[in-house]
Amino acid sequence: MTSPSPDRNMDENKERRLRLRKNVLDEIISSEESYIKQLDMLLNGFVRPVRDKNTIPKHSFSAIFGDIEPLYSLNIVLHDELQKSENVGSAFLKIAPYLKLYSTYAHDYELATRSLQALRKSNKAFEAFVSQQERLPHISRKLEALLIVPIQRVPRYRLLLTELIAHTDQTEEEYTILNAALKQVEAVAHHINEQIREQENVQRMIRIQRSLAQGNPKIITPGRRLIKEGSLRKVSADSESAHHRYFILFNDMLLYCRVRSPGSEINHKGSLICNCVLPLRHCKAEAVVGDGLFRVTCRDECLLLCSDTAEEGKQWVETINAAVEQLEANFRTLRKESSSRRPIRKRQLHQKDSLMRKFHQKKLTLTDQNTCLPNAFEVQVLRSENIDSHSPRQNPTSKSPRVIKLPKWPESCSGSPSFTYSPRKLLAFMSPSSPNSSPVHEAPPVFNFCSPPIQTDFTFNTD
């Protein structure tokens, strides 16, 4: 029995490759037609009727349906290019710059779904209209199911183009064009995935904020991200007992909390009581001899922690140290001075916040000096604002003066101050000849008079 010739095998492989390639091309066009049909369903079944009837406010309409028509127009152009051109890569390259519309849609998707849910609960006319349209035979789809379709489209393009490249000969000209198109589609798909992960991260942070007793500390702030969370055992100072604590790692601080009721869900409102806030920049994690045992230090604070497994403990150590390194790298790129305040205990925390707000709201005049002279504790807090307030790149003994930024007088307060003091100038006014006082120009402070109760530059501990 003779074996097949090499030429015959090559012909069979080529024929098979061409057949698979044609199947992928047909799927690209058929799936695009199906997608446009769903967009048309959404556009003519919901978007245009709602806009024509003015059923909902304009800002709500823009939040929910604002990007649907541009996406529909974009994909009509792509479909036409695919129909008239045999080179799929060229068609995708033409519309690739406009695929960023999908990133915008993905960014606004979470807001759109929340707005839709709120309107369906509060606007009976809108709810009745949406329910009626969803039951129509040519739609038979939930509005929420149609709104998520554009989120899934770009990842689908990436899969189809990858499969098409796999069945395209590398010697063909289209191979290079397809790879260029795939690269741009992948960039958009990656951005969309990042947007979705960011939204999920924010939603999780909101749930954690709700779980914190009395809403303290305030964790929702621009730029903050949740990195890791989980339950660990905190070994007591005498090493004779261990208590379960819930640890939450952000990109700028580490929280450990006590669960109000052991065994209860941590997502319930007020279920977590924050015991300690550690500024991540001053944290360091290191493994200790023993399965799952590791230590976290932050200035004067030292926590000996134990996880259920050695692998979990290793992950915590690596994650914390990686977050610290990233934070340090971010600080090195900042031009502003970074704060390096000392730890402040919980008892003094609210006193300091009250003091800063008082200086922001109260008139300070030369004629009534008794009202503007702080007590001993206030002097200590004001001076602590200036300790180590210099950037590492600057010499604290430099004699060159810098501009002092003074807060504006609040518009809500009646009248205007006849003479305004910054806290630093106030200290100089109190004791101008004190040997311990430094010239005003040596360490001019930059105060944040409306700072939130919890900063990321100190620790407080209630254990």
Side-chain angles (χ1 to χ4, degrees), residues 105-238:
Y105 186 86
H107 181 271
D108 299 336
Y109 175 73
E110 188 67 30
L111 174 62
T113 54
R114 290 201 306 270
S115 301
L116 177 62
Q117 292 171 1
L119 275 174
R120 295 192 70 164
K121 290 180 181 178
S122 61
N123 192 324
K124 293 183 179 179
F126 178 68
E127 167 61 21
F129 169 78
V130 171
S131 299
Q132 176 186 348
Q133 295 298 102
E134 290 175 343
R135 291 193 295 268
L136 292 178
H138 66 281
I139 295 181
S140 299
R141 298 280 296 275
K142 291 290 184 182
L143 176 56
E144 290 82 358
L146 290 172
L147 286 174
I148 201 175
V149 170
I151 299 292
Q152 303 165 337
R153 191 57 189 161
V154 174
R156 182 65 175 162
Y157 287 148
R158 181 176 57 183
L159 291 175
L160 290 172
L161 286 175
T162 301
E163 190 173 355
L164 184 61
I165 290 173
H167 301 306
T168 302
D169 194 340
Q170 296 184 14
T171 59
E172 297 180 14
E173 181 181 356
E174 189 179 2
Y175 185 84
T176 304
I177 300 175
L178 283 172
N179 275 285
L182 176 62
K183 186 177 180 180
Q184 297 206 35
V185 170
E186 283 181 335
V188 177
H190 175 74
H191 191 260
I192 290 175
N193 291 335
E194 287 297 316
Q195 295 286 346
I196 294 174
R197 277 194 290 267
E198 182 180 340
Q199 291 167 4
E200 291 174 349
N201 194 284
V202 170
Q203 291 303 310
R204 179 58 190 148
M205 286 177 62
I206 291 174
R207 290 195 293 270
I208 292 174
Q209 182 71 81
R210 182 176 177 272
S211 300
L212 291 170
Q214 300 179 352
N216 287 323
K218 306 298 182 185
I219 63 173
I220 307 298
T221 186
R224 180 169 290 160
R225 291 184 300 102
L226 173 67
I227 297 178
K228 188 177 179 63
E229 58 179 315
S231 181
L232 296 169
R233 293 189 300 277
K234 177 180 174 292
V235 181
S236 61
D238 55 12

Side-chain angles (χ1 to χ4, degrees), residues 12 32 73 79 93 208 211 255 315 323 355 413 420 423 426 447:
E12 289 179 352
E32 189 66 20
S73 302
H79 181 262
L93 278 178
I208 292 174
S211 300
L255 272 64
Q315 290 178 0
L355 174 63
C413 297
T420 309
L426 184 57
F447 289 90

Side-chain angles (χ1 to χ4, degrees), residues 263-321:
S264 64
E265 287 288 335
I266 62 168
N267 291 325
H268 292 167
K269 185 175 181 179
S271 59
L272 294 177
I273 302 174
C274 183
N275 285 7
C276 191
V277 179
L278 304 174
L280 194 61
R281 193 182 181 193
H282 306 295
C283 287
K284 180 182 178 181
E286 55 185 349
V288 181
V289 177
D291 292 341
L293 198 64
F294 63 98
R295 181 187 294 110
V296 175
T297 55
C298 180
R299 290 187 170 171
D300 297 335
E301 298 290 333
C302 182
L303 308 177
L304 187 59
L305 308 174
C306 183
S307 59
D308 291 336
T309 63
E311 182 63 28
E312 183 183 359
K314 181 181 177 182
Q315 290 178 0
W316 271 103
V317 171
E318 292 176 351
T319 305
I320 291 173
N321 289 332

Side-chain angles (χ1 to χ4, degrees), residues 359 364-366 369 372 406-407 419-423 425-426 429:
F359 275 109
L364 302 179
T365 62
L366 278 172
Q369 296 177 2
C372 64
L406 298 178
F419 190 92
T420 309
Y421 287 99
S422 70
K425 282 188 174 182
L426 184 57
F429 172 78

